[in-house]
Amino acid sequence: MNRRDMLKLAGTAVAGATIFGTQALANENPTGTAKSKTKKALIIGAHPDDPETGCGGTMLMLRKAGYEVVSVYMTKGEGGIQGKTHDEAAAIRVPEAINACKILDARPIFLTQIDGNTEINKARYIEMREVIAKENPDIVFTHWPIDSHPDHRVCSLLVYDAWRRLGYNFELYYYEVMSGTQTQLFSPTDYVDISSVEQQKREACLCHVSQNMAPLYDNWHVPMQNFRGIEFRCKQAEAFIHLRRSDSDIFEK
């Protein structure tokens, strides 16, 4: 697969001018449900709003292709509202994430780490691994590990460890958030054309009212999506790095 190839979900090639393109969407039945066994995608982020901003368009396209989509939040955004206690902030940010998931037709899961005080230790490795094992996904998206935000780095490494310890039994993709200021050195291998669902993604992201999301989305995410669209020769795109088991074999020696 080269940089211009379509994303291949759980080993199934999807063709067409856009991701999941004309073939996959044409294979949907009139009720919008998949004809074969439903596949599952987990989008794992450190905070409420990370899955939506990094993968919201792809989440919508996955649903159109018949996938069950689960949005996993490592924290409840406890440290994300200035002047609020952890409990007060979580009480605001969790409903925002749930509202975003309703727009994206995704099921939310909240883990137990604390925003701004995330940890990497044996218990946290187990927590992440057990959640992923229970959900048994075909494909997982998470943060790129080279990122200015420590919570993003923690999330990425916990998911990577789970991928290895679970026997590489799902496809692993990294997504970007606010590249240049947060995500660093991101060179995509795969793209998703989100032109047809960008407005719906925007509505989901704007559910995060406490984060003053409108200017963040317009000033950071729209230019990033436009740039990735230029690279992929479409209007707007989300970009990913696909990590394959063969890429990690050197570390098994």
Side-chain angles (χ1 to χ4, degrees), residues 75-95:
T75 75
K76 296 181 176 70
E78 295 88 345
I81 305 178
Q82 189 172 3
K84 299 290 186 182
T85 67
H86 282 181
D87 288 344
E88 289 170 340
I92 294 170
R93 299 201 66 191
V94 167

Side-chain angles (χ1 to χ4, degrees), residues 175-232:
Y175 60 79
E176 58 183 337
V177 287
M178 296 176 68
S179 281
T181 186
Q182 289 189 344
T183 303
Q184 307 290 321
L185 303 175
F186 194 84
S187 182
T189 60
D190 297 87
Y191 298 79
V192 176
D193 183 341
I194 66 165
S195 306
S196 64
V197 295
E198 187 277 330
Q199 184 58 40
Q200 195 173 351
K201 173 186 176 176
R202 177 186 175 86
E203 291 172 5
C205 291
L206 294 187
C207 288
H208 297 279
V209 177
S210 68
Q211 302 306 293
N212 193 26
M213 184 58 70
L216 283 175
Y217 189 84
D218 289 338
N219 295 332
W220 284 100
H221 296 286
V222 169
M224 187 169 69
Q225 292 162 187
N226 289 341
F227 178 71
R228 296 308 184 192
I230 292 171
E231 289 185 317
F232 195 48

Side-chain angles (χ1 to χ4, degrees), residues 85-148:
T85 67
H86 282 181
D87 288 344
E88 289 170 340
I92 294 170
R93 299 201 66 191
V94 167
E96 290 176 344
I98 291 172
N99 288 337
C101 284
K102 290 177 181 177
I103 292 174
L104 298 173
D105 196 15
R107 172 166 55 89
I109 293 176
F110 296 90
L111 304 188
T112 64
Q113 295 237 38
I114 303 299
D115 180 4
N117 193 30
T118 57
E119 306 169 316
I120 296 181
N121 55 40
K122 184 176 181 180
R124 296 305 187 180
Y125 279 129
I126 292 172
E127 178 186 37
M128 182 65 77
R129 184 166 70 249
E130 287 183 345
V131 167
I132 294 175
K134 180 180 178 181
E135 291 295 327
N136 191 27
D138 299 280
I139 184 170
V140 172
F141 298 82
T142 194
H143 293 281
W144 175 240
I146 307 175
D147 194 288
S148 64

Side-chain angles (χ1 to χ4, degrees), residues 149-161:
H149 200 305
D151 291 348
H152 295 179
R153 298 195 298 269
V154 168
C155 185
S156 182
L157 293 175
L158 294 180
V159 174
Y160 173 74
D161 181 78

